[in-house]
């Protein structure tokens, strides 16, 4: 049943926002400030910078690459169970990393386990937030997603102090214990009108009912929030819904005990055929998305930006120490400065993109260009104050991640937003995974960060040029009109769970 109008855009929804904000802060605080831990790992394990950089790159990239799997877990089990499980993964991975004997073990415990846990938290918190908000959804999601930046700001200084007081292992144990509070945040994520057909299927299986075991969910059960239209026919189901909905006409109306095994076999074959058709339709939809020139340009831009702009988060502290600009991590680390600037950038760029005459894609290209200039200036900076300024500038323009869902909706429309965002996150996660190791290899080869940051800045500038040129009216005739069509955002969490 649809929720009452008073439930949306207020009331318990703001409790959900607070819980989701806190969950993202606790989960992403350490991974987003991993640059503070990176010099300590270099000193403790005496591995090359390229090998050690895999830890920070995986913890940020694995969750993005696995975002389709994380979203599927939330769709099937709900936000609360997934958040509880993710809290166990994040806390367990951090505590396990305290006993890491080498970098290879750290790559698994911190890079993969914590990274997957963060991906699950991200999908669950965004999904439950969009269920409770309709008209104020943008504001609610903006508040929730700033939890990652605030967490990075707090954890960068906190981890530095904990390392001084308790050592690297003690620091990881303590922040792992704090991360257990993610499970407490899950307790506030009260489900709103969860589909009931899962429970009916389970009850039917338990009592071995003679009737139909699998039922098509009523149209009311597919409503997640107010404003959803009631599908009355199979063709009205979205691609994603067709992957989990089984039409009743494809299953026997009544299972006779004498022919139970035969009918069960026929049922399984029909279900497999139905699923195969749905997955083929899903893959065809993704193929159509990649035929759009603007979408391809955006994917390339996201990949190159992630490849070049993420390494400073990991290496900026080591750059200052290697250059002799500072003997140890300062009271307010460069990572913290970049994190708070990113938080400001998300809010400011979100306000700018709401202006009617501003082209969202061109605004994103401009932020990439400005961020690339900051990267190219890092090797020429000879003072710690200069690095602080460049960290703030790069952090501010890195807030363009808040524009991804808006630009994606502009390009492909709301109906294909989920699939398109999954593709974008794959390219972004792949770039994040490759960026830090490549920069580390450049340092191991040249014993200097100069060439590495010239490479990173060049990648970002190339992405900005490609994104800008391929979206000019003369190069892309599809978007000659205003790129800001009036889009009515329905309260379907499957379509909005991808907002960055």
């Amino acid at each position: 049943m649809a929720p009452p109008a008073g439930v949306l855009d207020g009331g318990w929804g703001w409790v959900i926002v607070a819980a989701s904000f806190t969950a993202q802060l606790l989960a992403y605080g350490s991974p987003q400030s991993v640059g503070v831990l990176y010099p300590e790992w270099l000193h403790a394990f005496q591995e090359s910078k390229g090998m050690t950089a895999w830890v920070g790159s995986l913890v940020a990239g694995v969750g993005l690459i696995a975002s389709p799997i994380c979203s599927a877990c939330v769709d099937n089990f709900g936000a609360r169970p997934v958040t509880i499980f993710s809290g166990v993964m994040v806390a367990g991975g951090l505590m396990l990393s305290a006993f890491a004997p080498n970098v290879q073990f750290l790559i698994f415990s911190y890079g993969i386990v914590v990274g997957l846990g963060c991906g699950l938290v991200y999908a669950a918190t965004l999904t439950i937030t969009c269920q409770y908000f309709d008209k104020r959804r943008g504001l609610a999601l903006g508040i929730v997603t700033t939890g990652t930046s605030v967490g990075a700001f707090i954890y960068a200084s906190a981890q530095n102090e904990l390392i001084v007081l308790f050592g690297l292992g003690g620091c990881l144990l303590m922040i792992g214990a704090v991360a257990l509070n993610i499970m407490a945040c899950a307790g506030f994520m009260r489900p709103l009108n969860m589909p009931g057909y899962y429970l009916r299927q389970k009850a039917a299986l338990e009592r071995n009912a003679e009737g139909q075991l699998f039922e098509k969910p009523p149209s009311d059960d597919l409503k997640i929030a107010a404003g959803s239209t009631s599908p009355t026919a199979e063709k009205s189901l979205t691609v994603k819904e067709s992957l989990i909905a089984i039409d009743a006409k494809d299953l026997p109306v009544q299972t006779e005990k004498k022919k139970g095994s035969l009918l069960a076999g026929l049922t399984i074959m029909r279900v497999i055929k139905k699923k195969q058709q749905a997955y083929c339709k899903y893959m065809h939809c993704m193929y159509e998305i990649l035929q759009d020139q603007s979408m391809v340009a955006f994917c390339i831009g996201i990949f190159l930006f992630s490849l070049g702009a993420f390494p400073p988060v990991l290496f900026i502290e080591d750059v200052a120490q290697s250059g002799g600009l500072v003997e140890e991590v300062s009271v307010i680390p460069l990572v913290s400065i970049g994190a708070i600037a990113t938080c400001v950038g998300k809010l400011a760029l979100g306000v700018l993109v709401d202006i009617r005459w501003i082209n969202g894609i061109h605004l994103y290209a401009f932020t990439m260009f400005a961020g690339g200039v900051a990267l190219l200036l890092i090797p020429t900076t000879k003072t710690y104050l200069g690095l602080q300024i460049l960290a703030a500038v790069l952090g501010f323009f890195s807030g363009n991640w808040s524009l991804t869902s808006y630009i994606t909706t502009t390009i492909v429309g709301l109906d294909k937003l989920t699939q398109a965002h999954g593709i974008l996150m794959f390219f972004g996660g792949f770039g994040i995974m490759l960026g830090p190791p490549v920069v580390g290899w450049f340092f191991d080869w040249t014993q200097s960060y100069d060439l590495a940051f010239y490479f990173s800045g060049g990648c970002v500038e190339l992405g900005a040029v490609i994104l800008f040129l391929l979206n000019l009216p003369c190069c892309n005739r599809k978007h000659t009109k205003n790129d800001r069509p009036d889009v009515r955002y329905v309260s379907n969490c499957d379509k909005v769970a991808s907002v960055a």
Side-chain angles (χ1 to χ4, degrees), residues 226-345:
S228 301
T229 56
S230 299
T232 57
E234 181 184 1
K235 63 181 180 180
S236 64
L237 296 175
T238 64
V239 174
K240 191 170 185 179
E241 288 166 350
S242 67
L243 296 179
I244 61 173
I246 303 175
D247 195 0
K249 67 181 181 181
D250 293 328
L251 299 172
V253 177
Q254 184 175 3
T255 304
E256 299 179 2
K257 291 184 177 180
K258 297 181 180 180
K259 300 180 180 180
S261 59
L262 177 61
L263 291 178
L266 293 175
T267 298
I268 293 174
M269 294 300 296
R270 290 170 181 169
V271 170
I272 293 175
K273 184 178 179 181
K274 185 75 174 179
K275 294 289 186 180
Q276 184 178 7
Q277 294 174 352
Y279 279 110
C280 289
K281 184 178 179 181
Y282 185 84
M283 296 302 296
H284 180 70
C285 181
M286 296 184 68
Y287 173 77
E288 290 180 345
I289 291 173
L290 290 175
Q291 297 302 305
D292 191 299
Q293 178 178 309
S294 297
M295 187 65 190
V296 173
F298 197 30
C299 289
I300 295 174
I302 286 284
F303 170 75
L304 292 175
F305 182 78
S306 302
L307 181 66
F310 179 73
V313 177
L314 184 61
F315 290 99
I316 193 69
E317 296 293 344
D318 194 52
V319 169
Q321 296 180 29
S322 300
L325 303 180
V326 62
E327 294 182 0
E328 58 184 13
V329 179
S330 61
V331 177
I332 302 179
L334 296 173
V335 177
S336 294
I337 296 174
I340 199 66
T342 301
C343 183
V344 175

Side-chain angles (χ1 to χ4, degrees), residues 110-111 261 307 371 374-375 422 498:
Y110 195 96
S261 59
L307 181 66
L375 284 169
S498 59

Side-chain angles (χ1 to χ4, degrees), residues 402-435:
S402 63
L403 307 178
T404 53
S405 65
Y406 173 83
I407 297 175
T408 305
T409 306
T410 300
I411 296 174
V412 303
L414 188 62
D415 292 338
K416 299 179 180 179
L417 176 59
T418 304
Q419 296 92 327
H421 189 267
I423 296 172
L424 280 176
M425 290 300 99
F426 175 82
F427 279 94
F430 193 59
I432 288 176
M433 286 181 60
L434 289 181

Side-chain angles (χ1 to χ4, degrees), residues 473-491:
C474 60
C475 299
N476 187 8
R477 298 181 178 179
K478 179 179 178 180
H479 296 285
T480 54
K481 298 181 180 180
N482 186 357
D483 74 323
R484 297 197 49 178
D486 292 331
V487 179
R488 183 174 64 88
Y489 288 90
V490 297
S491 298

Side-chain angles (χ1 to χ4, degrees), residues 384-395:
Y384 192 70
L385 177 61
L387 282 181
Q388 290 177 321
I389 295 174
L390 291 178
V393 172
L394 183 60

